[in-house]
Amino acid sequence: PGWLSCYRARGEHIPPVGLAVLTGPEQVAFAQVESDGEVLAIGRATVADGWVGLSAVETAPAARRRGLARHVVCALVAYGRELAAGNVFLQVATDNQPALTLYRELGLTLHHSYHYRVAPAVPGG
């Protein structure tokens, strides 16, 4: 519950079906930094085929710029290493400069870009 209290799915709290997606992989781990019962930073990792995939790395607005996301990412990468993952991947928004800076400092580089497509509105619908 504490982890989920910090998680946002595209700016909203996660819908009920999202929990099944988050917990579905065979090798999945959740990390959090907590202080005085409040979750300040979170992250999720999945491991498959020698890769650790990072997702949902978030820091509560009032707790930013304190190295908490770095701590979460490093803990999740260590989890992946324990399961023989030698590679790391993640998805990050290109306008998230603090995250991009952190990931560059940790040695991660851009592999490729993506964007979301939106279907055109249907006339009269």
Side-chain angles (χ1 to χ4, degrees), residues 5-125:
S5 73
C6 193
Y7 179 67
R8 300 284 185 258
R10 293 192 187 117
E12 301 292 330
H13 282 288
I14 185 171
V17 70
L19 186 57
V21 173
L22 285 171
T23 60
E26 184 176 328
Q27 299 292 333
V28 62
F30 298 86
Q32 69 185 41
V33 175
E34 186 177 326
S35 178
D36 296 325
E38 180 182 1
V39 176
L40 303 177
I42 62 168
R44 172 182 174 264
T46 58
V47 177
D49 299 325
W51 287 85
V52 58
L54 304 177
S55 62
V57 177
E58 301 189 35
T59 303
R64 292 184 178 152
R65 309 299 303 158
R66 296 180 4 198
L68 302 179
R70 176 184 302 271
H71 182 72
V72 165
V73 168
C74 290
L76 291 171
V77 169
Y79 163 78
R81 283 190 187 137
E82 290 174 12
L83 296 174
N87 303 293
V88 178
F89 72 90
L90 61 89
Q91 180 178 345
V92 61
T94 57
D95 63 348
N96 188 343
Q97 286 304 315
L100 293 169
T101 299
L102 168 63
Y103 300 139
R104 260 192 310 275
E105 289 173 356
L106 292 173
L108 299 170
T109 60
L110 177 66
H111 183 274
H112 64 276
S113 298
Y114 71 96
H115 66 275
Y116 292 101
R117 295 197 183 272
V118 178
V122 177

